[in-house]
Amino acid sequence: MWFLVVFFLVYWLMHIVVFGLSGLQLGFSARAWSAALPLTLFLSLTPLWAALVPDWLPRWALTSIWWATYIWLGVLFYLFCVQTVYAVGWVALHWGPASLQSVFAPRAAWFWAGVALVCLVLAYGVYEARERFDVTRHEIPLAQAAAPLRLVFFSDLHLGLMPSFGRLEELVRLCERIEPDLVCIGGDLLNDHTGFLERELDLVRRLSRQFPVWAVLGNHEVYSGVDASLAFYEQAGVRVLQNASRLLNPSTPLRVTGVNDPALGQRSLSARLSPALAEASDNPGEDVVHILLSHSPRGWPDDVPEDVDLMLSGHTHRGQMFPFSWVVRLAYPHINGIYSEGSRHLIVSRGAGTWGPPFRVLAPPEALVLDILPTAEAAGGTDGKAPASYGQ
């Protein structure tokens, strides 16, 4: 609840800054100023209006409302960044030479220059989100591995009203091309309106018929309804680990443990792991590779058991739209990439899709191909490079 209050307050203040400085630059009339305040209030609540739109409306109407809402969110974010930079320059030069003060004086040219810059950034953001897709490869040498094991991991696809069918199809084709031993989904596969996802359901079912697929719940699957999300996974043939652990035996003995997202109520990673570890202690196995799936990377490394060799997470999107990554990094120091402590590793994915604004800026989507190798067979450890055969 408090998160929503803070979000909408910040979102409203961003509108105030953008409309206020834009009004000064464009020389708003008294009538325009009087209309600006209620307009900012209305626009700041548009994510709430989108969430409350009834599902009985035609899909095209629902999709149009979501597109308008979240494109505006992205546009506003970059207008806010541009206007903040302008405001800092204006204030900083207030006591400077008169010639420089006149350069930063409010005028329409500054407004239109900012709009042009935002358009360029968002055009690139559309390209990065829709056309660019990285397949990141890591080789992970583990003494416990009895034989090579190939795993595909992706997260944060956010299937819903915003288009993501094409990206899901890319992921399925990637798996079919490289034939992994295991596919793991790190949460937020679903975002909203699961009842509209018939085509997506068929694609995930196609994946699970060919490979064992395991998943955990992310925060957006909680927001869209746990029961509806679990029903989707069940129909798709995906096995969901809810604070649970399973001992598998593909090419090398493997334990997969998965925990729910903190959005379900338990903030501490240790508390969410307790039932899974109790389950694992009944049949610990010997020389078993232990993988932990957790949507959020929070809790690494202090709350992660010593016998976990590899923790896989998403959630951060690497900020999705630079420079928002600076803010995300404050909350999640492990924002993207691989982090090691001794023989243990955490890998945080940038995510395969987008949440909210359909843009990515300096945070391209990705899927991970992980080759877990016996130590003697490792070719140099983690490399982060994808062979050409992994490409699209």
Side-chain angles (χ1 to χ4, degrees):
M1 180 62 182
W2 280 110
F3 169 79
L4 292 176
V5 171
V6 171
F7 171 83
F8 284 111
L9 179 60
V10 170
Y11 198 41
W12 181 64
L13 290 175
M14 289 172 65
H15 281 84
I16 293 293
V17 170
V18 168
F19 276 75
L21 289 174
S22 298
L24 288 174
Q25 292 162 351
L26 294 173
F28 274 7
S29 65
R31 178 175 294 181
W33 281 115
S34 64
L37 187 60
L39 180 60
T40 61
L41 181 60
F42 173 81
L43 290 175
S44 66
L45 292 174
T46 47
L48 180 62
W49 310 142
L52 294 177
V53 172
D55 290 352
W56 50 259
L57 285 176
R59 181 169 183 173
W60 66 264
L62 289 168
T63 303
S64 298
I65 292 170
W66 278 63
W67 267 98
T69 296
Y70 290 107
I71 287 177
W72 172 245
L73 195 158
V75 170
L76 177 79
F77 173 73
Y78 281 110
L79 285 175
F80 174 78
C81 291
V82 167
Q83 291 290 21
T84 299
V85 171
Y86 166 79
V88 169
W90 186 20
V91 172
L93 293 173
H94 182 71
W95 293 279
S99 58
L100 289 179
Q101 289 183 37
S102 64
V103 169
F104 270 82
R107 53 171 60 93
W110 279 111
F111 173 80
W112 293 115
V115 169
L117 178 60
V118 169
C119 289
L120 288 173
V121 172
L122 292 182
Y124 174 77
V126 171
Y127 159 76
E128 189 170 274
R130 300 297 162 198
E131 301 300 326
R132 184 176 172 187
F133 181 59
D134 292 348
V135 180
T136 305
R137 176 177 177 261
H138 293 288
E139 284 188 357
I140 304 173
L142 292 176
Q144 299 92 318
L149 173 73
R150 173 163 289 176
L151 182 152
V152 169
F153 174 74
F154 62 88
S155 69
D156 300 281
L157 193 54
H158 292 277
L159 299 174
L161 290 177
M162 304 295 280
S164 48
F165 178 83
R167 181 53 41 78
L168 176 60
E169 194 170 33
E170 285 182 88
L171 290 165
V172 173
R173 287 176 177 171
L174 169 68
C175 293
E176 291 173 338
R177 188 161 54 250
I178 68 172
E179 299 183 339
D181 298 288
L182 188 71
V183 177
C184 293
I185 302 173
D188 282 3
L189 174 71
L190 308 172
N191 190 78
D192 59 271
H193 297 84
T194 55
F196 291 124
L197 301 178
E198 295 90 353
R199 291 195 310 158
E200 290 81 355
L201 177 63
D202 288 340
L203 265 180
V204 180
R205 189 182 287 126
R206 172 176 138 191
L207 181 67
S208 68
R209 284 172 177 166
Q210 300 177 79
F211 312 102
V213 184
W214 294 83
V216 291
L217 296 178
N219 55 308
H220 283 274
E221 282 144 338
V222 176
Y223 303 153
S224 63
V226 173
D227 291 342
S229 298
L230 290 175
F232 179 96
Y233 279 122
E234 183 179 1
Q235 294 174 55
V238 176
R239 286 157 285 194
V240 179
L241 291 167
Q242 292 190 271
N243 301 340
S245 186
R246 295 291 181 271
L247 189 62
L248 312 180
N249 193 13
S251 59
T252 192
L254 174 69
R255 177 172 294 283
V256 179
T257 298
V259 293
N260 288 332
D261 188 81
L264 268 172
Q266 287 181 303
R267 306 297 299 177
S268 165
L269 178 59
S270 298
R272 286 175 279 135
L273 271 170
S274 292
L277 296 180
E279 211 171 72
S281 66
D282 294 338
N283 187 6
E286 296 180 1
D287 296 327
V288 172
V289 174
H290 192 177
I291 294 175
L292 171 61
L293 302 179
S294 174
H295 179 60
S296 167
R298 187 168 285 161
W300 169 271
D302 297 337
D303 293 339
V304 177
E306 290 294 327
D307 71 333
V308 170
D309 303 297
L310 179 62
M311 177 174 168
L312 300 176
S313 298
H315 185 56
T316 67
H317 291 225
R318 196 184 174 184
Q320 188 165 314
M321 298 190 305
F322 181 84
F324 189 65
S325 52
W326 295 345
V327 178
V328 174
R329 196 178 293 274
L330 295 176
Y332 297 95
H334 306 102
I335 190 173
N336 171 233
I338 186 164
Y339 306 86
S340 300
E341 185 182 83
S343 61
R344 301 191 301 160
H345 309 284
L346 163 69
I347 299 181
V348 183
S349 170
R350 296 191 295 266
T354 58
W355 172 83
F359 313 111
R360 276 184 174 263
V361 178
L362 303 184
E366 71 172 352
L368 299 170
V369 177
L370 309 176
D371 286 313
I372 297 173
L373 303 174
T375 304
E377 296 185 24
T382 59
D383 56 28
K385 298 175 182 177
S389 61
Y390 288 4
Q392 302 308 308

